[in-house]
């Protein structure tokens, strides 16, 4: 139990002994709930209030179907790619070279030769980027410890970036082959 106190409820909230769907979802209805006049947004956005209630009701229905024992973690996809006995796996932890956040643990990627153009964090002497030729191939997104993707670029690919600092592109994933993630060997650090 934490020593921190909860922030006080908003001024327009009033205690209620009745249960609402959110309280039912979160604690089986065994909590005192707060009613907000005009809904969760104080009447400012009735459409948002309606969508929120629809979402909560969907969660309640799903919980009723599973008996409340739904797994909260997604199952890891099984990589069925045949292992090449000569493949070079990363033997070190791969980290962001800008902030040192872990991206991949040892043994989670395979070194491949492939030419891919990656932009720099910012233009360097008028040059926007360079073609990299060695990449760590990851065939299962659940192998990453930490990764984020940009919005689609030219409707062809997304840049992969450190989810912590988001400083520079470190790799790509192609939209037409979204099971292969390419992390540049030269744009990461090793521990």
């Amino acid at each position: 139990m934490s020593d921190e106190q909860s922030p006080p409820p908003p001024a327009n909230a009033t205690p209620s002994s009745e249960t609402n769907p959110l309280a039912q979802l979160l604690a089986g209805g065994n909590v005192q709930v707060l009613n907000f006049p005009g809904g969760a947004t104080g009447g400012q956005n009735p459409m948002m209030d309606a969508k929120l209630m629809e979402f909560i009701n969907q969660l309640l229905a799903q919980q009723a179907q599973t008996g409340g024992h739904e797994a909260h973690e997604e199952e890891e996809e099984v990589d069925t790619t045949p292992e090449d006995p000569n493949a070079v796996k990363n033997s070190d932890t791969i980290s962001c070279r800008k902030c040192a956040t872990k991206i991949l643990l040892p043994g989670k990627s395979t070194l491949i030769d492939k030419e891919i153009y990656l932009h720099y964090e910012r233009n360097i002497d008028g040059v926007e980027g360079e073609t990299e030729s060695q990449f760590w191939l990851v065939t299962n997104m659940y192998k990453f410890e930490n990764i984020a993707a940009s919005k689609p670029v030219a409707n062809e690919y997304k840049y992969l970036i450190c989810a912590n600092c988001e400083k520079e592109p470190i790799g790509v994933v192609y939209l037409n082959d979204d099971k292969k993630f390419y992390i540049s060997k030269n744009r990461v650090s090793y521990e």
Side-chain angles (χ1 to χ4, degrees):
M1 178 87 57
S2 173
D3 291 336
E4 296 177 16
Q5 292 184 347
S6 299
N12 66 341
T14 57
S16 170
S17 60
E18 62 186 69
T19 60
N20 70 14
L22 182 58
Q24 184 180 357
L25 176 67
L26 297 176
N30 297 324
V31 296
Q32 184 178 29
V33 297
L34 298 174
N35 287 327
F36 293 88
T41 64
Q44 297 295 314
N45 192 337
M47 184 180 287
M48 182 62 75
D49 288 338
K51 287 184 177 187
L52 180 60
M53 288 307 298
E54 180 182 336
F55 175 71
I56 291 169
N57 286 328
Q58 287 174 354
L59 288 175
L60 284 171
Q62 187 178 24
Q63 186 180 40
Q65 289 176 348
T66 62
H69 300 291
E70 181 182 352
H72 293 286
E73 293 182 15
E74 293 188 30
E75 292 182 25
E76 185 173 326
E77 292 181 18
V78 177
D79 185 2
T80 57
T81 307
E83 273 304 309
D84 178 359
N86 299 322
V88 176
K89 294 283 195 180
N90 62 303
S91 59
D92 297 320
T93 297
I94 295 175
S95 301
C96 174
R97 69 180 180 180
K98 300 288 184 175
C99 71
T101 298
K102 289 181 186 175
I103 294 172
L104 283 167
L105 295 177
K108 299 292 184 180
S109 61
T110 305
L111 188 63
I112 64 162
D113 292 324
K114 183 175 181 80
E115 290 193 352
I116 300 174
Y117 182 84
L118 293 178
H119 280 90
Y120 292 131
E121 176 181 352
R122 60 184 166 275
N123 289 357
I124 299 174
D125 296 328
V127 179
E128 294 181 354
E130 68 183 325
T131 300
E132 302 279 346
S133 61
Q134 286 196 307
F135 287 83
W136 294 107
L137 173 63
V138 180
T139 57
N140 183 329
M141 67 183 263
Y142 296 107
K143 290 182 179 181
F144 286 103
E145 294 297 305
N146 174 17
I147 198 73
S150 71
K151 291 181 180 179
V153 177
N155 225 9
E156 292 181 29
Y157 59 91
K158 293 180 182 181
Y159 278 122
L160 299 175
I161 55 178
C162 169
N164 190 36
C165 72
E166 300 179 353
K167 291 283 186 184
E168 69 176 334
I170 60 171
V172 298
V173 58
Y174 291 97
L175 299 179
N176 64 358
D177 193 4
D178 63 356
K179 301 286 186 205
K180 293 182 179 176
F181 302 84
Y182 301 95
I183 302 294
S184 170
K185 180 182 176 189
N186 297 325
R187 296 217 181 171
V188 291
S189 63
Y190 302 90
E191 298 174 18

